[in-house]
Amino acid sequence: MTQQKYTYSTVGGNIGKQKHIALIAHDNKKEEMTEWANQNKEILQRHFLYGTSNTARQITEKTQLPITAYSSGPLGGDQQIGARIVDGDITLLIFFWDPLESQPHDPDIKALLRIAAVYDIPIATNMATADFLLSSYYMDNEYRIEKTRSTVRLVQIPEEEG
């Protein structure tokens, strides 16, 4: 027989002065993302940039901004970026998603947005919100996440034999 035990972990920390920004866009939003990145090139070049493969390629071709590229979203890129958020390596997510079109990897998209929310990083899902984030006081300053959020995980503990 096994016992069940709950363990708790907290989420929190600092978002440094130099941000680690993930840039992702669905196919119908890639041109919008590319134009937005080009308009904000001076700000973005002061930070570390990451993206899914096609979005990163298109932005780099237009802006010459260096972007670390992961796999395409449907091939696991959203999950790779989610893992980097969990590790604390990505601290801001700009994801121009297309709410009017179904995506084959919708569960991955939902998981990425959930992870970003759980880890309390800023998220922009459209150009207006992205503009607000880039013009924020915290874009060039450190942000301390004061609060912690507890997450609960159920762990199976084997009963000791004796």
Side-chain angles (χ1 to χ4, degrees), residues 96-158:
F96 289 5
W97 66 290
D98 185 352
L100 301 177
E101 189 162 323
S102 179
Q103 300 293 325
H105 61 300
D106 274 339
D108 295 343
I109 295 163
K110 185 175 181 181
L112 173 61
L113 294 171
R114 185 184 69 76
I115 286 295
V118 166
Y119 281 82
D120 206 16
I121 69 166
I123 307 165
T125 58
N126 58 45
M127 190 183 304
T129 308
D131 287 341
F132 272 75
L133 285 179
L134 286 195
S135 64
S136 166
Y137 165 83
Y138 292 110
M139 197 61 201
D140 292 316
N141 293 285
E142 185 171 304
Y143 179 78
R144 174 132 177 91
I145 300 172
E146 296 288 339
K147 60 187 175 209
T148 58
R149 292 209 169 93
S150 295
T151 56
V152 180
R153 182 169 50 112
L154 185 62
V155 178
Q156 298 288 335
I157 303 172

Side-chain angles (χ1 to χ4, degrees), residues 52-54 70-80 104-105 108:
T52 50
S53 64
N54 294 330
Y70 292 96
S71 297
S72 172
L75 298 177
D78 296 332
Q79 291 178 340
Q80 289 174 310
H105 61 300
D108 295 343

Side-chain angles (χ1 to χ4, degrees), residues 51-89:
T52 50
S53 64
N54 294 330
T55 303
R57 181 183 46 77
Q58 285 184 351
I59 293 171
T60 298
E61 286 174 0
K62 174 104 180 184
T63 66
Q64 283 68 55
L65 288 167
I67 302 176
T68 301
Y70 292 96
S71 297
S72 172
L75 298 177
D78 296 332
Q79 291 178 340
Q80 289 174 310
I81 288 175
R84 297 290 310 271
I85 292 169
V86 170
D87 292 340
D89 297 328

